[in-house]
Structure formats: C-alpha cells, structure tokens
Amino acid sequence: MNVKPDPASLKIERQVVGKGYAHDSARRHVRGEAIYIDDMPDLPGTLHVAPILSPVAHGKLAGVDTSNCAAAPGVVRVLTVDDIPGKNEAAPILHGEPIFADGLVEHQGQIIGAVVAQSLAEAIQAADLVKLDIEELEAVFDVETAFAANSHTHPTQHLVDGDAASAIADAQHRISGQLQMGGQDHFYLEGMVAYALPGEDREMLVWSSTQHPSEVQVHVALALGIKSHEVDVQVRRMGGAFGGKESQATIVAAIAALAANATGKPCRFRLRRDADMAATGKRHGFVMNYDLGLQANGRITGMKVEALANSGHVADLSGPVVTRTLTHLDNCYHIPAADFLGFAAKTNTVSNTAFRGFGGPQGIVATEAMIDIAARQLGLDPNEVRRVNYYGSETGEVTPYGQDVDDNRILDVVDRVMQNAEWDRRRKEIDAFNAENTILKKGLAMMPVKFGISFNLTALNQAGSLVHVYQDGSVHLNHGGTEMGQGLYTKVAQVVAEVFGLPLDDIKITPTTTGKVPNTSATAASSGSDLNGAAAFNAASAIKGRMAAFAAQEFGCDEADLVFANGQVAAGGQSMAFGELAHKCWFARISLSANGFYATPEIHWDGANLRGRPFFYYTYGAAVAEVVIDLLTGENRCLRADMVQDCGKPLNPTIDLGQIEGAFVQGMGWLTCEELWWDPSGKLRTVGPSTYKIPGSRDVPPEFNVEILDDKPNVHETVFRSKAIGEPPLMLAISVWLALRDAVSSLSGGKLAANLDAPATPERVLFAVEDMQRQVSELETK
C-alpha cells in the first residue's frame, strides 16, 4: 500500500512535520525520570535471574551439576535445557540456535542455564557454584581457517555481474591485497533485560528491551510450548540498541519467561555488563581479499572481492548481513564487472549479529581502501579516482545486483561538502604542515556514501499502526516501531498530528505492544520512520476521511474545501474545533478508530542469484575529516569533520542532526578505538569500559560541522518525502580512517598507501608508521 499525498494538507504550510521538536522523552532523559525496564518497581514476589555461562570455547557438555547451586541461599530454581517445555530455539532465520546449550558449547560465555533467586546478588553468586562437565574440543577463532575448511553458518553467497576476471586481467593496472577490520560491541547504555509476568492459564506478559517485539513473542511462545496469542510483549523505550537487540534480545526474554513459567512468579533477567559483552553478539569483523583492475585515469574495469565475515558459532543474522556487504561494495562507484563472494565463517566466538549499517559499512570500507591504494599507485588524487568512477550517465547507472540508481545525489553532497570544508585551502596548509613537522603529521580525506534503504528480505518491509480519536479530540497512537533513543516515536506522532492538523501534544505516544499491532518487523534497516510513519499516516488518514465526510455535510461544502489546521476544521468561513467535530462524529456513530498498514512498493529480490531491486531508494552523504597523528606513539585525534547528509524532506531536522552526529562518532569509534580482543583460549577480555574503549566527549572533533542537504525531497513516495537517517551517517566516519591513512602516507609524500587495518588504534597507527618508514627507506636505498 502506497502513501498518497493528502490534498487537504497540501493547501497549508506544514504545521508539525518538518519542525524541530525535541525528542518526546528528552526532559525525562536529562532528569533521570524516563522509566526503563529495570526501573520498573518489583511486583510482589518478583524473582531475579542470573546466567550460567560456559567457561570454554568449544566442548561436549556431558553434565551440569546444580546441587550446590540449588542449595545456596535465596535460590528458588535452577533452569537447564531439560526445563524448557517447548522448543530450545532462538534462531531468527535458520534453525539450531539454542536458548540453553544442549550437549555442546561453542563459545566462552554461551548460556548453559539460569539461576532463579530472591535477589540478583544471590543468583549471581549461586551461578558460580554450578559444576560443568565439559570435554574440550579444538576451537576455531580465525575466519581464514574456517574459510579454508569451508566451515560456515550460512550458505556462501556469490554476486556476479560480467566477467571480472577478464576485465582485471586485461586492465592497464591491477592492485590486489587484503584488508582486515574488527567487530564492535553495541555498548548500549541499558544492557539486555526482560521482565516476565505469568498470567492466567498459560498467558505470559513480557516487558523486553527489544527492537523486535514480534520475534520475542514468537520465541517465548515456542519455548513455553504455547501459541503466540498467549504471549504479549511490550516495550516503551530502550536505552540504546544499535541492532544488538534485534534478534538476541529473544534469548534474554525467553529465559525470563521460562523462569516465570517454572516458578509462577514475576521474573526479572538483566545481564551485567561483563556477562552482556561475553554472551551477546557484535558487529561482524571481516577479512577482505580484493583484486582490482583499473585504467590509467583510475577508472575501474573490474573488481573481485572475497568478503569473509566472522559469523561466530551460529548464523543469527549473518546471511543478510553478508548480503548487504555485497550490495554495498560498489558504494558510489559504477563497477563494470563484479565478482563478489560472501562467506559467513563459523568460529567459536559469540554469534555476531546486526549492528548499525548491517554489513554495509564493511563493504564500503573495503572499496574506499581500494580507491585510496589505487590512487597512490597511479600517482593520482584519490578524489580524482572517485570522481571518474561515480555513478552517472558517462559511467553507468545500474548496480552489480541490477538496481537502477535513479535518485543520484552523489555530486550534490560531494561538491557541497568540499566547498564547506574549504578543501583546496586546507589541503595546501596540511601539506605545508607535514613538510615542516617531524613528530606530528596531519591527514585529510573525503569520502561519499550511497546507502540502500529497505530490508533485503522483501517480506519484512511492512508495518502496522493503530490510531484512536477520542471524543475530546485527543489521539491515541500505537504502532509496531520501537523507540531506542532515535526519536521514532516523536516522528510518527508528528505525522499523525500533521494529518489531523493538531498540536503535537494532542497525540499520545503509547508503548509498542504485540497485543495492539501484530506481526511487526524489527525497528531496523533505517526503515522505522518510513514504515511506521506511513502506516500511521494511513490509519490517521482513514479516520480523517470519515470525519471530513461528516464535516462537509455539516458545513454544506465539498470535502476538498476542508482544512484541518491548528486544532480547527474550517471551510468557507465556517469552523469548529477538532474536538467538537470528534464528539459530533461519535454522536453520529462514526468510527474514530482505524488500523493502518503499509507495504513498501516496487522492491523485489532474488536471494539465490542476488539480483533485483532490494532497496526502495538510496540516501547519500559525504564527509571530510582532518586528523593528526603522533609518529612516536601512534596516538591520534580527529580535529575537524564536515558532513553533508541527504535526508530528503526531514520529518524532524533536529532529531536528524542528532542522529548524524551520534552515528558519525559511533562509526569513528569502530574504526579507531573500539577493539575486541580474545585471548588464545577464546575468552573475550574486553568486557567493560576499562578494557573496551568507546569514544568519549574529548574524542568528538572540536570542529564538527553538519549540514542537511537543503530542499531535496525524496523522489520516491515516502511519508512526506522524507528519507531514512539511522544508519547512513555512520559510514561517513570512514573519512576519519582514510585521513589517518593519509597522515601515514604523508611520510612518503603521499606516494605510498598506508598499511593500516581497522580499528586504527594507536598501536596499529604506530605499526603503520614504522612500515611506511621502512618502505620509504627501501625506496631511497634503491
């Protein structure tokens, strides 16, 4: 179902949509008054749950002795796989992804069971008393080892367009190599948590910190051996998620529900930070093997990439993550011949999962590295190489997977950011600085982003909503989207307020619940506003249509002459308050309630051949970053960042600016300071802020300039012609990583490419500096 323009609303200036309203919970956030699941007061009899985690990375689980644990103070029940009345299954797509380990453990930190006790402290202490009989097996931690053994969690994917091998072999220039990039922990402020309340018969109410209430509903029902209509899942807000609560929140919710079912008491299960980081998935780390053919002017003739993802021990969402990696290896560049292989390597680490960008950032990093390396090998400016390869009439406007780039705004954002960043002047100043300084070196880089919007799986591109208008004209709004701090609730409320011509305060935002809007998709893929905003638009428009028909009779006018604005309904010099009209409609027995539905049009995808139109539209952005590095320590800092982001016609530019800034800093963390480190036994050692460094306030660029591309409504029919914003700006942070490479390359006068993987920690920067100095020395001796 397509969103259609509302003729009445087009007669007046937008009243609510497009305005910079604050996040609906902003005041409560800063005052500490926003209620998260762990802030909910304990109901009488509430019990607390702690996990029993595997201490080894791979082994046969021969036995679980819970006798000492069960006798510990406060312990009410100990749960293992034998206590699951239904199915021991938590897989979002495939099968064989257990809630509790059953006969086999496959990573350190895997959940084997759970302790239910009177207090959280007692549950945690008792969990340490469980004796595990595990016969250790050989573990695999390296994706290349898994690739060589063809050990994967998801079938290998192969995107082929043209004859890349011949195009590369016949090219004037050829580069090949390997790039490695690490994963990233979500480090949401609110950890994983669920609160389960048993009801009558076998009913279960679950408050879950999840991006996907319907998936939690399905898996809780499976675990309990009941049907979905007996489970209600609710969430008002999450304290961050970033993809980490899309699929993996289901295990936490299922365990809370199992505990509540077993004890008949309300049960709260929240993971401590160290357990959360040990037991839950991350952004996929990748190894990229590449082979690229180019003409002398930098024009790409063919590209071949092996994208090897660290899936972890089970598939989770690795299949679609790898798909999005393959469909973003082109970024903004036309690739005449492409051969992209995607491999989800099975390793004995935690199962990796969705993370903001969902595989797209990894693909774009690889291509931007290739551009940088190729440009320096050819003696060209990297930006010149980018420009000769941009999608356009002179190169081509069809992606390797067969989708037309029919909304191209690459040059719009690139030219604008180059102007805003004063590129030419600063490039000369930085070159002069580097010539004069022997300890500090600066780098400057620009890069563009093209990011596809929609779930790769077509079926997920749907949403529902429920809207009620009460007799006083106030409005109740519910939809399938979840609020994790990104402002979705505010934006969707603005859409409904705009339809009815009401102030935003007249729209009541209510918790997402499977009992009101069923069969929802995850709030993910940057599609929350597109899908839920459109569904709410349709519901509100249906009610408005009924009210308009009645008002036209009252006023003796045509419906097309009615204007809903400022809380009034008017036509031809007559008017009445919206609340008065609502009461009159009720008295006339006109329904003031409607459910809305929206399904994204035009998209289709052949998952076997990786062909089709998986994305409804693209968003575009570009960034310029300036950094400085210390050659003696590898320490570095981003000094300035300039960004231009295509948001279509924003629903709320203030919230969008916050999303751009936050995404950029999070992306910068992934590429510079956030390093996941496992010891040789497979134990994750970076399990808290003391060992895992996320960006702090001092890591934010001191000069941070963000601009939303002006007056560029979406050419595709989205709600009020807006565009998605959640994920795309994260990839703009790749400019920081490229600027670090540029700073290292300055040691060779910019002629040699830096050997720098990601994250570019001070250690890696220092190693890259030493490698560059060695290369320069070797060239000088020749």
Side-chain angles (χ1 to χ4, degrees):
M1 182 184 296
N2 292 347
V3 170
K4 299 295 183 185
D6 178 15
S9 72
L10 295 178
K11 293 182 178 181
I12 58 173
E13 181 184 351
R14 298 260 175 90
Q15 300 294 303
V16 183
V17 163
K19 308 299 182 182
Y21 288 93
H23 189 288
D24 75 279
S25 298
R27 289 182 180 273
R28 290 187 286 274
H29 285 156
V30 298
R31 292 174 176 175
E33 297 171 352
I35 297 174
Y36 295 89
I37 292 173
D38 211 26
D39 297 319
M40 296 170 61
D42 282 351
L43 294 171
T46 293
L47 302 174
H48 299 268
V49 183
I52 302 166
L53 304 179
S54 169
V56 303
H58 192 203
K60 293 180 180 179
L61 181 60
V64 180
D65 181 355
T66 64
S67 56
N68 291 340
C69 172
V75 172
V76 176
R77 188 73 182 264
V78 183
L79 303 175
T80 65
V81 67
D82 295 331
D83 298 296
I84 298 178
K87 294 184 178 180
N88 183 30
E89 182 63 78
I93 299 176
L94 302 178
H95 300 284
E97 302 179 21
I99 297 168
F100 290 144
D102 184 8
L104 182 71
V105 292
E106 295 193 276
H107 75 92
Q108 284 204 17
Q110 184 171 357
I111 299 177
I112 292 173
V115 179
V116 187
Q118 298 289 345
S119 71
L120 179 59
E122 289 171 325
I124 292 172
Q125 291 169 3
D128 291 336
L129 301 177
V130 174
K131 295 179 181 178
L132 302 172
D133 182 3
I134 302 175
E135 178 189 342
E136 289 198 51
L137 301 173
E138 183 179 358
V140 174
F141 306 120
D142 176 68
V143 297
E144 292 180 279
T145 300
F147 182 54
N150 196 31
S151 177
H152 51 73
T153 63
H154 186 277
T156 300
Q157 301 177 60
H158 201 183
L159 195 166
V160 177
D161 184 40
D163 186 352
S166 296
I168 294 169
D170 295 339
Q172 292 174 287
H173 297 274
R174 181 174 187 172
I175 65 165
S176 59
Q178 183 183 89
L179 177 70
Q180 297 189 18
M181 60 196 81
Q184 182 180 23
D185 190 83
H186 302 86
F187 217 92
Y188 22 64
L189 291 179
E190 176 205 34
M192 289 285 192
V193 60
Y195 193 16
L197 289 69
E200 295 181 355
D201 298 323
R202 298 192 297 174
E203 294 176 355
M204 188 67 65
L205 170 61
V206 182
W207 286 89
S208 173
S209 184
T210 178
Q211 296 171 243
H212 201 343
S214 289
E215 186 166 288
V216 168
Q217 179 190 36
V218 167
H219 284 90
V220 166
L222 281 174
L224 297 180
I226 60 179
K227 293 188 176 181
S228 292
H229 72 284
E230 296 175 289
V231 178
D232 189 17
V233 178
Q234 297 188 23
V235 55
R236 172 57 179 90
R237 62 174 62 85
M238 289 167 275
F242 312 115
K245 298 175 181 178
E246 181 175 344
S247 63
Q248 301 207 352
T250 58
I251 294 179
V252 174
I255 292 173
L258 287 167
N261 180 71
T263 62
K265 301 287 187 179
C267 287
R268 191 191 301 267
F269 182 25
R270 76 274 220 183
L271 290 174
R272 296 190 315 185
R273 179 67 62 184
D274 56 347
D276 193 309
M277 293 186 74
T280 66
K282 326 294 179 195
R283 185 189 297 280
H284 290 71
F286 270 78
V287 172
M288 299 285 190
N289 298 314
Y290 60 85
D291 198 2
L292 187 69
L294 305 106
Q295 298 173 355
N297 67 347
R299 177 75 176 99
I300 295 170
T301 61
M303 180 188 291
K304 185 173 183 179
V305 178
E306 289 176 344
L308 313 181
N310 185 348
S311 173
H313 70 293
V314 292
D316 193 80
L317 297 171
S318 294
V321 165
V322 170
T323 302
R324 188 167 279 264
T325 299
L326 301 185
T327 54
H328 283 76
L329 279 165
D330 62 323
N331 193 18
C332 293
Y333 314 112
H334 179 254
I335 313 297
D339 186 333
F340 303 156
L341 183 140
F343 186 84
K346 179 179 175 67
T347 62
N348 292 114
T349 60
V350 65
S351 174
N352 290 315
T353 189
F355 199 128
R356 199 175 197 169
F358 202 77
Q362 293 94 318
I364 293 174
V365 165
T367 299
E368 290 301 323
M370 285 184 256
I371 293 283
D372 181 62
I373 295 166
R376 298 185 194 280
Q377 182 170 306
L378 298 175
L380 300 172
D381 183 330
N383 291 340
E384 292 178 15
V385 176
R386 291 186 175 93
R387 191 168 286 267
V388 299
N389 286 290
Y390 287 147
Y391 280 108
S393 57
E394 295 184 4
T395 53
E397 296 180 306
V398 180
T399 67
Y401 47 91
Q403 177 162 341
D404 291 337
V405 182
D406 56 6
D407 56 359
N408 193 337
R409 292 178 179 171
I410 298 169
L411 291 179
D412 291 331
V413 294
V414 168
D415 291 346
R416 184 66 178 167
V417 82
M418 292 287 278
Q419 177 184 341
N420 292 353
E422 305 172 281
W423 176 275
D424 292 338
R425 175 185 64 80
R426 290 170 61 207
R427 177 76 270 178
K428 293 177 183 177
E429 291 176 355
I430 286 172
D431 289 344
F433 176 92
N434 289 338
E436 296 172 0
N437 287 270
T438 57
I439 303 300
L440 300 179
K441 298 291 182 181
K442 290 185 176 182
L444 187 69
M446 187 282 298
M447 58 83 63
V449 170
K450 171 181 68 67
F451 191 78
I453 302 300
S454 289
F455 289 97
N456 282 91
L457 180 62
T458 303
L460 296 177
N461 294 284
Q462 58 175 296
S465 69
L466 180 65
V467 175
H468 305 315
V469 175
Y470 295 107
Q471 292 182 52
D472 63 356
S474 61
V475 178
H476 173 105
L477 167 63
N478 196 268
H479 55 81
T482 58
E483 176 62 56
M484 60 199 89
Q486 84 280 37
L488 174 65
Y489 277 11
T490 303
K491 286 185 173 183
V492 178
Q494 286 179 261
V495 169
V496 173
E498 188 69 41
V499 171
F500 288 130
L502 293 173
L504 187 59
D505 288 345
D506 284 359
I507 313 301
K508 177 63 176 177
I509 297 169
T510 58
T512 305
T513 170
T514 55
K516 288 186 178 180
V517 179
N519 308 319
T520 58
S521 296
T523 303
S526 300
S527 62
S529 296
D530 285 356
L531 295 176
N532 296 286
F537 178 97
N538 288 338
S541 296
I543 299 170
K544 179 182 177 181
R546 298 174 203 147
M547 297 178 73
F550 179 82
Q553 290 180 348
E554 288 281 296
F555 291 158
C557 68
D558 292 334
E559 290 183 39
D561 295 328
L562 291 167
V563 173
F564 286 66
N566 302 314
Q568 299 285 317
V569 182
Q574 305 177 77
S575 69
M576 72 172 73
F578 182 85
E580 181 183 354
L581 176 59
H583 181 76
K584 286 178 177 288
C585 286
W586 169 81
F587 198 81
R589 297 186 296 177
I590 294 169
S591 173
L592 296 176
S593 177
N595 67 303
F597 181 77
Y598 174 77
T600 307
E602 302 177 26
I603 55 175
H604 55 91
W605 182 242
D606 178 355
N609 297 303
L610 304 186
R611 303 287 295 180
R613 179 178 176 168
F615 309 121
F616 187 30
Y617 63 88
Y618 296 104
T619 64
Y620 300 88
V624 171
E626 178 183 342
V627 303
V628 62
I629 65 173
D630 186 323
L631 299 183
L632 300 181
T633 65
E635 292 177 287
N636 56 83
R637 178 111 193 248
C638 181
L639 301 174
R640 174 176 171 177
D642 294 84
M643 286 156 279
V644 174
Q645 181 65 44
D646 167 30
C647 298
K649 199 160 184 63
L651 295 174
N652 186 318
T654 299
I655 285 177
D656 285 358
L657 282 171
Q659 285 291 289
I660 295 167
E661 293 168 353
F664 182 89
V665 173
Q666 187 173 53
M668 191 170 67
W670 168 49
L671 293 166
T672 61
C673 62
E674 296 185 43
E675 184 174 29
L676 297 163
W677 191 81
W678 285 265
D679 69 18
S681 73
K683 184 178 179 64
L684 181 65
R685 292 294 185 176
T686 48
V687 290
S690 64
T691 51
Y692 184 79
K693 180 167 185 334
I694 64 172
S697 59
R698 294 200 301 173
D699 295 305
V700 176
E703 191 168 351
F704 200 11
N705 305 312
V706 181
E707 178 182 337
I708 292 175
L709 194 63
D710 190 38
D711 196 27
K712 289 286 186 180
N714 197 338
V715 300
H716 296 285
E717 200 172 79
T718 54
V719 60
F720 291 107
R721 301 290 176 166
S722 60
K723 280 193 172 186
I725 193 59
E727 294 171 296
L730 181 137
M731 282 144 279
L732 297 179
I734 298 171
S735 61
V736 176
W737 181 70
L738 292 170
L740 291 171
R741 294 175 64 93
D742 182 65
V744 175
S745 293
S746 71
L747 293 169
S748 67
K751 296 177 182 179
L752 300 176
N755 182 15
L756 182 63
D757 290 329
T761 59
E763 293 91 341
R764 283 199 177 91
V765 171
L766 186 60
F767 294 153
V769 166
E770 292 174 348
D771 178 73
M772 181 62 67
Q773 290 170 334
R774 178 189 57 77
Q775 290 187 64
V776 170
S777 177
E778 290 176 354
L779 286 175
E780 290 174 348
T781 57
K782 291 180 181 179

